Amino acid sequence: MTADAHSTLILLRHADVYAPAALGARDLLLGGGRVLWMGAPGSLSLPGALAAVTCSVDLAGRRLIPGLIDGHVHVTGGGGEAGFRTRVPPVPLSRFTSAGITSVVGLLGTDDVARGPAELLATIYALREEGLNAWGYTGGYHLPPATLTDGVQSDLAFIEALIGIGELAISDHRSSQPTLEELLRNASIAHVAGLMTGKAGIVHLHLGDGARGLELVRRALAGSELPPRVFHPTHVNRRRALFDEALDLARAGSTIDLTAFPVGPDDEGYTAAEGVRRYLASGAPPERLTVSSDAGGCLPCFDADGRVCHMDVGSAGALLETIRDLLHSGMPLAVALPPFTTNPARLLRLTGKGSVAVGFDADLVALDETGAAHTVIIKGEVHIADGQAVRRGTFES
Ligand SMILES: [Zn+2]
């Protein structure tokens, strides 16, 4: 039987499981959106009634990994830095699923005026209706934060899908130039909301090219009782000196985020893959590193006057490309996976996500020989089969 997008039960046979730890050959029974059973190939015998409603998918020894968690996605489309025509359109469902991404955190960036939290939430809910796991951050680059209710506190306390504040910009000419007090005030709100609700409760910080780098975060940690986990700086691989600062911050207890943006030979940043290699080689705690795509976001380049000279758009496919790069350089898959799976699940407090395990959500990706997504399953539903999308977004042809 072939993969049916609406099967009650799915038996995945002959998977080579990376949980991320290498578990070897396994069969998995999926049902009710979760992994119900995992064991030696051929060892599960289902009673007739159950066997009749079970669809069997033979993965033929392909590597099976947890669905990727992309913690920084402009789901509404970002951009807008060089006129209204540069507003990027929303990212359709299959752009994520075909790239092995099963969970996203959506956010607003530079443009938190023409776009707002209502549009962000509507897009998150639309992606959920289409089968993706989706959450978001309240706010955007600027202060006061763009919120749906009368403040960040009530957004985080009462809107289930909003799990933190971000991407709040620092060390960037596009930021609100937040003061230490303003950063501390917002970080404390995120932290307390996290305690109240069990959500991530973090401030996801956009780092610009500014020479001040992470100085504001260091001052915030030195001058308050806030735990380092509350600060989650991203784009820290955009400059080498910033990356070195971020390593120190990770050693001090924060989780740092690398962006999988394209890096040219003359750029002063590291690719995400190079960042992961350097991070792990430095001996910094392996669990305090995440990688995100910035999909849908504009990747502009500015001149000295702050005018855009050229721009690109972040791609969801950049995460799998980064993993492929890591594997090519000899890194074992089990070592390469955590920044894309278990680490974001832990930081973002996404229960049941990030690992292949019994009782966890059935968010799974089978890789083909080239490292591309062959089969993608989200909450037990097949989205990609044989490398082709079997489910598409509402307006995708
Ligand atoms: Zn950003």
Side-chain angles (χ1 to χ4, degrees):
M1 209 185 292
T2 54
D4 177 335
H6 302 286
S7 289
T8 311
L9 293 170
I10 297 176
L11 180 62
L12 289 181
R13 293 161 50 232
H14 303 115
D16 180 15
V17 175
Y18 289 83
L23 301 184
R26 290 282 188 278
D27 285 356
L28 297 90
L29 183 69
L30 316 180
R34 303 214 170 159
V35 177
L36 300 177
W37 175 90
M38 180 160 58
S43 65
L44 182 68
S45 70
L46 289 168
L50 279 182
V53 294
T54 301
C55 141
S56 172
V57 178
D58 188 355
L59 292 177
R62 292 188 183 88
R63 295 161 292 175
L64 187 74
I65 66 173
L68 306 184
I69 300 170
D70 193 343
H72 185 122
V73 179
H74 293 276
V75 289
T76 61
E81 277 110 329
F84 291 110
R85 71 188 180 288
T86 64
R87 297 168 78 231
V88 180
V91 185
L93 174 73
S94 72
R95 207 76 67 77
F96 297 114
T97 54
S98 61
I101 292 168
T102 59
S103 296
V104 297
V105 182
L107 40 68
L108 299 172
T110 319
D111 178 5
D112 43 20
V113 178
R115 302 185 193 280
E119 183 186 350
L120 175 65
L121 263 176
T123 310
I124 288 166
Y125 292 148
L127 288 169
R128 286 181 171 189
E129 288 175 13
E130 292 173 346
L132 198 71
N133 300 294
W135 295 269
Y137 291 128
T138 186
Y141 265 24
H142 303 115
L143 294 177
T147 57
L148 192 69
T149 64
D150 60 2
V152 169
Q153 292 102 323
S154 44
D155 269 19
L156 294 182
F158 301 119
I159 301 175
E160 175 272 326
L162 298 178
I163 61 173
I165 301 174
E167 57 174 318
L168 178 64
I170 61 171
S171 300
D172 193 303
H173 62 98
R174 292 164 288 175
S175 77
S176 288
Q177 308 300 335
T179 63
L180 176 62
E181 284 66 31
E182 287 171 329
L183 178 62
L184 283 173
R185 177 63 47 85
N186 281 283
S188 68
I189 292 170
H191 174 58
V192 173
L195 298 176
M196 286 173 62
T197 62
K199 298 180 190 179
I202 58 169
V203 182
H204 184 65
L205 290 163
H206 160 102
L207 266 291
D209 281 329
R212 289 177 294 172
L214 288 161
E215 183 198 340
L216 202 57
V217 178
R218 285 191 295 272
R219 289 170 58 205
L221 287 174
S224 76
E225 299 76 24
L226 288 167
R229 76 168 293 280
V230 175
F231 298 97
H232 186 222
T234 186
H235 314 322
V236 296
N237 51 321
R238 71 187 307 154
R239 283 192 305 118
R240 293 172 186 207
L242 177 63
F243 180 79
D244 292 340
E245 284 184 63
L247 282 184
D248 289 338
L249 198 65
R251 290 191 187 99
S254 295
T255 298
I256 63 167
D257 190 51
L258 307 175
T259 305
F261 38 43
V263 175
D266 299 328
D267 292 342
E268 55 166 339
Y270 296 123
T271 63
E274 185 59 19
V276 172
R277 283 188 286 267
R278 284 175 180 270
Y279 182 94
L280 295 177
S282 78
E287 69 277 12
R288 292 194 197 132
L289 179 68
T290 57
V291 181
S292 61
S293 73
D294 212 350
C298 226
L299 306 172
C301 183
F302 295 97
D303 66 17
D305 292 328
R307 275 191 301 257
V308 171
C309 17
H310 73 81
M311 54 169 66
D312 250 319
V313 177
S315 154
L319 294 191
L320 268 187
E321 280 168 32
T322 301
I323 292 173
R324 202 177 294 152
D325 185 329
L326 293 170
L327 296 180
H328 277 159
S329 64
M331 189 178 287
L333 183 55
V335 176
L337 282 174
F340 307 84
T341 56
T342 41
N343 292 356
R346 188 184 307 111
L347 176 72
L348 301 173
R349 292 175 172 157
L350 304 179
T351 310
K353 303 292 186 194
S355 300
V356 182
V358 172
F360 272 53
D361 292 347
D363 297 340
L364 305 164
V365 176
L367 302 174
D368 68 14
E369 334 47 76
T370 71
H374 174 276
T375 304
V376 177
I377 296 170
I378 307 179
K379 288 181 284 184
E381 302 279 352
V382 177
H383 280 251
I384 304 286
D386 288 328
Q388 302 297 318
V390 293
R391 288 170 159 241
R392 288 186 176 276
T394 311
F395 296 104
E396 292 186 86
S397 56

